Amino acid sequence: EVQLVQPRAEVKKPGESLKISCKASGYSFSTYYIAWVRQMPGKGLEWMGIISPGDSDTRYSPSFQGQVTMSADESSSTAYLQWSSLKASDTAIYFCARNLAVAGTPSYYFDYWGQGTLVTVSS
Amino acid sequence: QSVLTQPPSVSGAPGQRVTISCTGSSSNIGAGYAVHWYQHLPGTAPKVLIYGNNNRPSGVPDRFSGSKSGTSASLAITGLQAEDEADYYCQSYDSSLSGSLFGGGTKLTVL
C-alpha cells in the first residue's frame, strides 16, 4: 500500500528555520517525482514544485523559487521541504504528493497524497 | 499570468446533477495538456477523482465524469449525495510555468 506520512503540525517563530518531512512507503521511492502543495488558511491549493528523488532534479513554481528548498533522501525514502527564515505568511498546510506522469506529455497528476503538515508561524 | 478559473461555489439538491467548469488558456488546457480533478474535504488529503481528462481511478464512482473542450474542462457529478459536499479543484500542466497549475477551487454544497 502506497503511503506518504507527514508530521501533523509544526509551530515556529518568525525568523526560525524549519524542515518538514514526507516519508514514502509501498513503492519504489526513486521512481516517482514528489510534489509539494501549499494551502493557506481559507484558500485553495497551490503547486510549489517537484523533486525527483532519483537524481534530485528539482523544479520550482516561480512563486516559490528562492523561498523554499526541496530535497530528498533515497536511503530513508523521505522528501523534505525547508525554510531558512520563516515568515508569518508561511502559515499554511503543506501537502506532499506522488506525481504520476501522463504518458507522452510533460503533464502529470497526483495520485497519492500525504495528510499535510500544518505549519504555524507566530511570535 | 497563468490561471485556471473555477466558479467559487455550486450547489444542488440530493439526486441532482451539477457541473463544475475549469477555464484555462492556450498555455495549459488549450495547448492540449490533460486536466485532472480532485476532491478535498477539510482536514484530509485531497483525492484524485478524474485523471487524463476523463479517466476515473479505481474506486471512484461512475457518478463522477470529466470532459474537455478547447480551453475549458468540466467535472460532472450525477445523483448528488450529501457526502459529495467538498471542495473540488482542477489541475493541468502549464507551458509558461513549466509546471503544474491548480484552479482556485469550487465549494460544492448539497442542499
Side-chain angles (χ1 to χ4, degrees):
Chain A
E1 179 194 8
V2 174
Q3 284 191 310
L4 297 173
V5 178
Q6 301 181 248
R8 290 302 279 176
E10 298 279 355
V11 180
K12 290 289 187 179
K13 291 180 167 48
E16 291 186 333
S17 63
L18 175 64
K19 191 173 187 178
I20 61 174
S21 62
C22 169
K23 183 168 176 57
S25 62
Y27 72 98
S28 175
F29 181 62
S30 60
T31 304
Y32 297 85
Y33 279 74
I34 290 285
W36 288 95
V37 176
R38 182 176 78 173
Q39 185 177 36
M40 298 180 75
K43 302 296 185 182
L45 304 177
E46 298 175 87
W47 179 79
M48 300 176 70
I50 55 173
I51 182 166
S52 169
D55 60 8
S56 292
D57 175 41
T58 310
R59 304 169 202 179
Y60 294 93
S61 163
S63 300
F64 293 94
Q65 180 80 47
Q67 308 303 309
V68 296
T69 302
M70 298 176 193
S71 60
D73 176 13
E74 283 189 272
S75 67
S76 62
S77 297
T78 303
Y80 299 96
L81 180 66
Q82 68 181 80
W83 295 259
S84 59
S85 180
L86 286 160
K87 302 183 285 287
S89 57
D90 293 317
T91 294
I93 298 173
Y94 293 88
F95 295 98
C96 62
R98 191 180 80 163
N99 278 26
L100 200 57
V102 176
T105 81
S107 180
Y108 45 83
Y109 65 99
F110 312 115
D111 63 344
Y112 288 93
W113 294 68
Q115 290 292 317
T117 298
L118 173 60
V119 174
T120 303
V121 184
S122 174
S123 54
Chain B
Q1 188 176 357
S2 299
V3 294
L4 296 178
T5 301
Q6 298 181 232
S9 64
V10 297
S11 63
Q16 284 190 331
R17 177 181 188 269
V18 296
T19 61
I20 298 172
S21 61
C22 174
T23 302
S25 65
S26 57
S27 62
N28 41 69
I29 300 175
Y33 297 119
V35 179
H36 322 289
W37 291 90
Y38 302 86
Q39 180 189 61
H40 187 208
L41 292 153
T44 70
K47 170 187 170 184
V48 59
L49 285 179
I50 299 289
Y51 67 93
N53 303 321
N54 55 15
N55 300 288
R56 280 187 312 276
S58 170
V60 174
D62 60 6
R63 301 187 297 105
F64 296 91
S65 63
S67 63
K68 184 184 119 171
S69 178
T71 58
S72 294
S74 289
L75 173 71
I77 310 171
T78 59
L80 210 53
Q81 299 179 4
E83 69 211 47
D84 298 332
E85 191 161 285
D87 296 320
Y88 293 82
Y89 295 88
C90 59
Q91 176 242 325
S92 186
Y93 179 84
D94 188 278
S95 57
S96 298
L97 290 176
S98 294
S100 196
L101 198 56
F102 283 102
T106 298
K107 182 173 182 58
L108 169 62
T109 300
V110 180
L111 302 170

